[in-house]
Amino acid sequence: MIDETLASDDARRTAGRGDVKSEIGGDVDAEIAARAASPRTDDSPRIEAVASALRSKAVDEVVSNEREVRVARGVARLSQVVDFLFCGVYAVLALRFGLALLAARSGAGFAQVVTAISDPLYEPFRAIIAGVDLGTGHHVVLPIVVAIIAYLLAHLGVHQLLRVIAERRAAI
């Protein structure tokens, strides 16, 4: 979403630059027409001052737009890193859920690694609700489902916050 916002902001800025160029062109054309209608030698300093002010305004706007694009790209990159990290959290918790559902031996090396990695992520949710025993050693660990949902909501919240930051920067 942030990439789409960047693209639309970039298109808007490009259109804005075109508007500034056409405004400058219109002002210069109007000044030339006025000068041609009544040639005076004392208008030269005033025309130069107007042209200089317009050039300065255009340069300032381009510099400002480039800075905004750079910040928005940084926020987009940060959003990608956040997405990657949350996908890792989802994967580890899903692996732990699958191993518990399949009644994997807790002494197995892979199960121990998954448990060790997921324990810090799973611990805050362990006591929320009890798991369900399906019989025959299979166990549905509902706190893991709650943890995945909580991390999903946190992920969405962080993603929206980054989007707001990017749009606020682009709108200023």
Side-chain angles (χ1 to χ4, degrees), residues 2-171:
I2 290 179
D3 292 336
E4 293 171 12
T5 303
L6 287 175
S8 67
D9 286 343
D10 195 31
R12 181 181 51 83
R13 285 189 191 94
T14 301
R17 288 186 193 111
D19 292 343
V20 169
K21 287 179 183 178
S22 65
E23 179 184 332
I24 291 171
D27 290 345
V28 170
D29 289 345
E31 193 67 35
I32 290 171
R35 189 172 182 189
S38 61
R40 294 186 294 173
T41 58
D42 60 346
D43 282 346
S44 181
R46 189 174 65 85
I47 292 172
E48 187 58 38
V50 168
S52 176
L54 289 173
R55 271 187 244 116
S56 176
K57 179 182 172 184
V59 167
D60 290 345
E61 185 176 332
V62 168
V63 168
S64 173
N65 286 344
E66 291 301 321
R67 189 176 316 120
E68 290 172 10
V69 167
R70 210 172 29 251
V71 168
R73 284 185 181 147
V75 171
R77 179 65 62 196
L78 179 61
S79 176
Q80 290 173 339
V81 169
V82 166
D83 289 345
F84 178 77
L85 292 175
F86 273 103
C87 285
V89 168
Y90 302 143
V92 167
L93 289 174
L95 276 172
R96 183 167 180 158
F97 181 78
L99 290 173
L101 188 63
L102 295 173
R105 288 184 303 126
S106 60
F110 182 72
Q112 287 177 345
V113 169
V114 170
T115 301
I117 293 172
S118 64
D119 264 345
L121 303 169
Y122 173 62
E123 192 62 37
F125 304 96
R126 186 181 303 269
I128 290 181
I129 55 176
V132 176
D133 224 353
L134 299 176
T136 67
H138 297 280
H139 188 73
V140 177
V141 188
L142 290 179
I144 292 178
V145 175
V146 172
I148 290 172
I149 292 170
Y151 285 117
L152 176 66
L153 293 174
H155 183 192
L156 292 174
V158 169
H159 199 280
Q160 286 300 326
L161 178 65
L162 290 174
R163 182 173 173 220
V164 166
I165 290 170
E167 287 178 2
R168 180 175 170 260
R169 285 288 201 179

